Amino acid sequence: MARRPRKPSAKRRTAGRPVREDGPGVGPPPRRRHNLPIQLTTFIGREREIAGVQRLLTTAPLLTLTGAGGAGKTRLALRVAAECLEQYPDGVWFVDLAPVADPALVPSSVAAALGVPEQPGRPLADTLAAYLRTSRPLLVLDNCEHLRAACQALADRLLRASETVRVLATSREALGVAGEITYRVPPLQFPAARHAASAADMVRYDALRLFTERAALAQPEFTVTDDSAPTILQICRRLDGMPLAIEFAAARVAALSVEQIAARLDDRLRLLTAGSRQTLPRHQTLRATLDWSHDLLTEREQTLFRRLAVFAGGFTLEAAERVCPGTGIAEQDILDLLTRLVDKSLVVFDQRRGDPRYRLLDSVRQYGQERLEASDDTEAIRRRHRDWYLDFADRAGDALRGHAQDLWLSRMETEHDNLRAALAWSKAAGDIAGWLRLTGALTWFWFMGEHWGEGRRWVEDALAAGGTAEPLSRRTRWGAMLFALAQGDIPRVEELTGNLNFTGAGRDDQVFGIVARIAKGNIAADTGMDHGVRPLEEAVAQAHALGDRWLLAFALTQLSVALRKRGHYDRAVDLCAESARLFEALGDRWRHSIALRNLGITMLRRGSYDEAVDAYAKSIRLRAPEQNRWVVFQGLEGLACVECARAHYERAAVLFAAAAPVQEALRARRDSDFLAEVQRYGDRARMSLSGRAFEAAQIAGRAMTLEQAIEYALPPAKSEPASLGQEDRGPADSSLTGREREVARLVARGLTNRQIAAALVVSERTAEGHVQSILNKLSFNTRAQVAVWAVEHGLHLSSA
């Protein structure tokens, strides 16, 4: 009898995989393809990161996702793994190492996930290597940081045994295996600093979307409005886009408003906790997450970490090397220890904005400050921090007057939070001398950087705290006078100038003697007194004798203003031109632009309109809007006056309206005679236009960004400035398509091409094409002309 064929055993395997059976319903059930845990909440965004990690996995045998605690490393790894199932015929296997405390148990954890049994007398790592030799799986090793050496050894062993195995790891730092590629998981995306958030942004940015979706889970009635959107953006920005912290914050909407959550972020380590006790212990509070990272540091790393928390808004390597040495850490140790903290994802290294800088995420810094306050070296570190930034501010003083001006203005803006922290410590410590030195050193930065309100508060507080002693308070009192004069507080200027008589023989005494005369002459001229010119002429003579070209140029500028106010236009023009020439030679672009603005005012008063336009245009172009809005807005008002003098009333009305928001924001004061000029020409423009035309010009001007206003004010040179009469407004709006009319309406609202594209759900290139088509059809050169035309034709009144 022939033997019946033997039924294949369900236990037979080939190359570690089940044998395929012929025919349906025969053989063992299909082998599991993965053991990925089920996610109970939606995964938000990260499309770019997912694609990037998947691409790297095609070539990297070991890819490690790094980042700070709560950055979303595990969720990203799980998402990538879920989308890669078809690429790994031998499965995708997740190994959670968070609960594993003993490094010796790492191989066991991997074996359990794969279903590989131990073999007596053989190391488990060797058994795993043999099992995976001809397999093609993806191993996801999650939370490796506390078992780094064991994970490193096992990953190295497995990758050397097989060319087809892929390992995706998550850790606060790289494992250190040959051939490893690291991918730092970035924060979730949120709008740039200048962006005004709206409810529509909640679906455009991952951080905002995560907050709103998690908030809806905590409070089903939760909705976002245009009023609450900016607060949600503030929360996400202050939490640095960190997913875990955002989820904690969103969970609080069950009991708090978003405004209350934002107000409590200064105590976020207590506020931000998980709503579920089933969460991993180290993820149940933000503090526990940070404790986990901190406890993995060496003692010296912990020391440097807490000392770095003294910095606000980031720091340079040089600053860290001067501020952070002390007990247990020498200056030459800083770089190595700092590099380790970067590797462990507690410090962020950023080289995108020029000078390399380091920073602690805001939540990490708050945690580090608590550690610093509990240590014995708090006072020494904070004093060293203040002294470093006092020296920094002193070095910036001369630089703000010369060719390196823009560079140092940028540096000081970058360090502004550190400078504020240094001021706050000096005040809290009662160090009046240091406080006065710092406020005096920062006066010109605050003034040139348009931090007028803040600067004035600091200098006045310092003076009130005991700043009467000479010579320490001189620069601070000069700063108080400067801010008061700029904001029109004449009584305070008079009070301060009464104490600015310096008659000593030293150079500093002479400098401040000149300053005293300039201040007194300035206030006298501004209040209409005839004797205002004399102290300014004396200041010019003394500055010339002292050989200080910068001070001479400054005195010449002030004297030219006083002469203009007395009606001596020809001499004022000569002095303005000389002042501008000196500032240009010195490389002081900021004051050069002010001298040119004064020249423009004087030319306007003299009736030399072409020369006035030329001076104003040069002044505006010297100072980009982001560098000095004060100079630019006064240039726009000056050009508006010129347009009105030439009977171009609509252009004048548009420019007056475009300049108004900047003046209101800065609370900027104009010279008394120029204020009269602005009011006179503004009234003329209003009286010369119909009510509808004037309203249209006002709406168009206020809708412009400062960049658009400059583009409008400085069109391509023509024999006559473009008018906004009916002949220049282009054909009737019927020549535009419906979509082009809609785009024109958005242009009138001041939207960029990118914002228009987002509003209309089209590509940016398509939006750009629509704008160009509108310009061509209406024979316009600028978007500003389109904005005015749209308002004139009533498009701004439509809602679609």
Side-chain angles (χ1 to χ4, degrees):
M1 176 182 292
R3 296 181 62 183
R4 295 179 59 187
R6 190 174 182 180
K7 184 177 180 179
S9 170
K11 296 182 180 180
R12 290 173 60 196
R13 296 177 180 271
T14 301
R17 297 189 296 275
V19 174
R20 297 181 63 89
E21 300 292 348
D22 295 328
V26 180
R31 185 187 180 193
R32 291 184 308 150
R33 296 294 310 281
H34 68 86
N35 68 338
L36 301 178
I38 296 173
Q39 300 301 300
L40 300 180
T41 55
T42 56
F43 184 84
I44 304 298
R46 296 281 201 194
E47 288 82 5
R48 181 182 302 175
E49 290 86 347
I50 292 170
V53 172
Q54 288 177 329
R55 184 172 59 254
L56 290 171
L57 271 176
T58 62
T59 57
L62 169 61
L63 176 61
T64 303
L65 305 184
T66 65
K73 301 182 293 295
T74 298
R75 289 298 298 266
L76 178 59
L78 287 171
R79 184 68 173 188
V80 169
E83 295 194 5
C84 288
L85 289 175
E86 297 303 319
Q87 300 173 30
Y88 295 95
D90 293 303
V92 175
W93 308 104
F94 178 75
V95 185
D96 183 8
L97 296 172
V100 179
D102 186 352
L105 297 179
V106 170
S108 301
S109 301
V110 176
L114 289 168
V116 176
E118 292 193 46
Q119 296 180 8
R122 188 180 191 187
L124 187 52
D126 291 346
T127 302
L128 287 169
Y131 177 81
L132 296 172
R133 183 167 292 115
T134 59
S135 298
R136 190 182 171 193
L138 172 65
L139 300 181
V140 182
L141 304 182
D142 190 41
N143 296 298
C144 299
E145 54 271 354
H146 62 302
L147 303 165
R148 181 172 177 266
C151 291
Q152 177 192 58
L154 181 61
D156 184 71
R157 178 74 178 88
L158 299 182
L159 294 176
R160 290 181 184 278
S162 173
E163 295 182 354
T164 55
V165 170
R166 289 290 183 267
V167 177
L168 177 62
T170 72
S171 176
R172 307 288 165 88
E173 60 180 317
L175 299 186
V177 176
E180 175 185 22
I181 293 179
T182 59
Y183 182 93
R184 190 173 296 276
V185 177
L188 292 177
Q189 184 186 26
F190 52 82
R194 293 187 178 185
H195 185 88
S198 66
D201 289 319
M202 297 301 111
V203 297
R204 296 175 187 161
Y205 297 93
D206 291 349
L208 306 184
R209 184 180 162 199
L210 177 65
F211 183 95
T212 54
E213 291 201 13
R214 297 299 189 263
L217 291 178
Q219 176 55 267
E221 291 80 21
F222 177 80
T223 57
V224 181
T225 67
D226 285 342
D227 290 334
S228 63
T231 306
I232 295 173
L233 171 57
Q234 177 191 355
I235 292 170
C236 294
R237 183 174 287 138
R238 289 196 62 192
L239 296 177
D240 296 297
M242 298 299 286
L244 183 66
I246 291 173
E247 293 202 37
F248 286 163
R252 287 295 188 180
V253 302
L256 299 173
S257 69
V258 292
E259 289 78 15
Q260 289 173 316
I261 294 170
R264 285 165 169 76
L265 286 183
D266 285 339
D267 191 20
R268 70 189 65 179
L269 298 180
R270 180 178 302 174
L271 173 73
L272 302 182
T273 62
S276 172
R277 293 296 126 189
Q278 295 179 345
T279 307
L280 285 172
R282 64 187 178 85
H283 280 174
Q284 286 179 359
T285 69
L286 184 60
R287 185 187 303 279
T289 299
L290 295 170
D291 280 339
W292 170 270
S293 295
H294 182 267
D295 292 346
L296 295 175
L297 302 177
T298 66
E299 183 177 351
R300 292 207 307 158
E301 289 169 349
Q302 290 178 350
T303 299
L304 179 59
F305 167 70
R306 68 171 179 261
R307 290 176 181 175
L308 291 174
V310 74
F311 293 104
F315 54 92
T316 63
L317 174 60
E318 185 182 14
E321 288 176 333
R322 297 297 183 275
V323 173
C324 295
T327 304
I329 299 179
E331 181 177 328
Q332 59 267 28
D333 299 331
I334 297 294
L335 176 58
D336 180 57
L337 291 171
L338 182 58
T339 302
R340 291 189 218 168
L341 292 176
V342 171
D343 291 341
K344 296 174 188 290
S345 302
L346 280 169
V347 175
V348 178
F349 177 63
D350 187 356
Q351 200 173 8
R352 293 173 298 173
R353 299 180 181 178
D355 293 339
R357 288 181 67 78
Y358 301 84
R359 65 185 177 91
L360 277 65
L361 298 181
D362 201 36
S363 300
V364 175
R365 178 174 179 260
Q366 192 175 116
Y367 176 85
Q369 284 182 313
E370 287 191 1
R371 293 278 180 172
L372 179 62
E373 291 300 326
S375 70
D376 296 331
D377 52 7
T378 306
E379 188 75 9
I381 294 298
R382 293 200 180 280
R383 179 176 292 278
R384 233 179 281 155
H385 175 272
R386 194 284 310 274
D387 290 347
W388 168 260
Y389 284 101
L390 176 56
D391 179 66
F392 174 82
D394 282 337
R395 284 184 287 139
D398 290 338
L400 289 179
R401 297 183 177 191
H403 293 281
Q405 179 181 87
D406 289 343
L407 173 63
W408 274 89
L409 273 175
S410 176
R411 285 177 176 172
M412 295 188 80
E413 284 291 353
T414 299
E415 298 289 6
H416 201 176
D417 285 336
N418 277 310
L419 294 165
R420 291 179 176 121
L423 284 162
W425 182 85
S426 299
K427 179 179 180 179
D431 185 351
I432 303 300
W435 191 6
L436 286 169
R437 278 188 61 196
L438 197 48
T439 52
L442 291 174
T443 288
W444 275 119
F445 159 65
W446 281 322
F447 195 80
M448 296 166 67
E450 298 176 359
H451 304 290
W452 294 2
E454 179 180 358
R456 189 176 183 188
R457 285 192 300 272
W458 278 117
V459 297
E460 293 287 9
D461 285 353
L463 291 174
T468 57
E470 297 295 351
L472 210 52
S473 67
R474 288 179 181 176
R475 285 197 297 175
T476 300
R477 284 199 287 151
W478 162 244
M481 187 277 295
L482 188 66
F483 291 122
L485 189 62
Q487 295 182 335
D489 188 351
I490 301 304
R492 180 57 174 155
V493 177
E494 292 175 331
E495 178 184 354
L496 289 162
T497 55
N499 297 319
L500 280 175
N501 288 312
F502 303 109
T503 57
R507 182 177 177 83
D508 285 347
D509 294 309
Q510 294 181 58
V511 167
F512 280 96
I514 295 169
V515 168
R517 287 174 173 79
I518 291 174
K520 289 186 174 182
N522 205 327
I523 192 64
D526 198 58
T527 53
M529 298 179 183
D530 290 336
H531 65 267
V533 171
R534 182 175 177 182
L536 289 166
E537 289 178 328
E538 292 173 350
V540 168
Q542 289 178 340
H544 188 276
L546 192 62
D548 189 324
R549 292 199 301 159
W550 185 91
L551 197 55
L552 173 61
F554 184 65
L556 286 171
T557 298
Q558 302 307 311
L559 177 57
S560 72
V561 172
L563 290 169
R564 184 189 75 227
K565 292 175 180 178
R566 307 308 305 158
H568 304 306
Y569 300 132
D570 290 344
R571 189 177 173 210
V573 164
D574 291 340
L575 294 180
C576 272
E578 176 62 11
S579 171
R581 186 191 66 78
L582 282 171
F583 281 132
E584 182 178 20
L586 291 167
D588 191 337
R589 290 165 54 87
W590 192 83
R591 293 170 186 84
H592 182 200
S593 69
I594 293 177
L596 289 170
R597 181 211 63 187
N598 287 332
L599 182 60
I601 297 173
T602 309
M603 291 295 187
L604 171 65
R605 293 290 296 272
R606 196 170 71 171
S608 303
Y609 300 139
D610 289 342
E611 290 86 347
V613 169
D614 183 59
Y616 279 129
K618 289 178 179 177
S619 174
I620 290 173
R621 289 182 176 123
L622 270 174
R623 306 310 299 164
E626 66 274 8
Q627 292 175 312
N628 198 282
R629 294 177 299 161
W630 180 56
V631 171
V632 172
F633 108 79
Q634 294 201 48
L636 292 175
E637 284 193 329
L639 289 170
C641 292
V642 175
E643 294 290 2
C644 199
R646 287 172 160 172
H648 301 146
Y649 301 118
E650 287 186 81
R651 281 185 63 82
V654 170
L655 290 173
F656 279 130
V662 185
Q663 191 275 334
E664 293 162 2
L666 294 176
R667 291 178 54 221
R669 170 188 172 275
R670 308 170 186 88
D671 291 328
S672 56
D673 63 333
F674 184 57
L675 175 60
E677 209 85 356
V678 169
Q679 292 172 338
R680 180 165 64 90
Y681 281 117
D683 290 342
R684 184 190 297 182
R686 183 181 302 105
M687 298 297 294
S688 301
L689 294 171
S690 67
R692 184 167 180 263
F694 183 76
E695 179 190 6
Q698 288 281 296
I699 293 173
R702 282 191 170 268
M704 291 179 182
T705 64
L706 202 52
E707 290 82 357
Q708 289 171 336
I710 292 171
E711 180 186 17
Y712 179 75
L714 304 177
K718 297 181 180 179
S719 56
E720 274 295 307
S723 168
L724 284 177
Q726 183 62 42
E727 68 277 8
D728 293 313
R729 289 179 190 139
D733 57 273
S734 60
S735 67
L736 303 184
T737 66
R739 176 47 63 94
E740 287 169 347
R741 285 161 52 85
E742 191 172 11
V743 171
R745 178 180 64 84
L746 297 176
V747 169
R749 288 174 52 193
L751 272 66
T752 65
N753 286 347
R754 177 171 296 180
Q755 292 168 330
I756 292 172
L760 300 181
V761 195
V762 298
S763 69
E764 188 173 349
R765 180 173 294 183
T766 298
E768 181 180 356
H770 285 315
V771 172
Q772 189 58 52
S773 177
I774 294 168
L775 292 171
N776 294 339
K777 288 184 177 181
L778 300 182
S779 301
F780 286 158
N781 296 315
T782 68
R783 298 168 70 92
Q785 290 173 297
V786 174
V788 174
W789 178 89
V791 172
E792 180 67 18
H793 286 80
L795 296 186
H796 68 293
L797 300 176
S798 62
S799 58

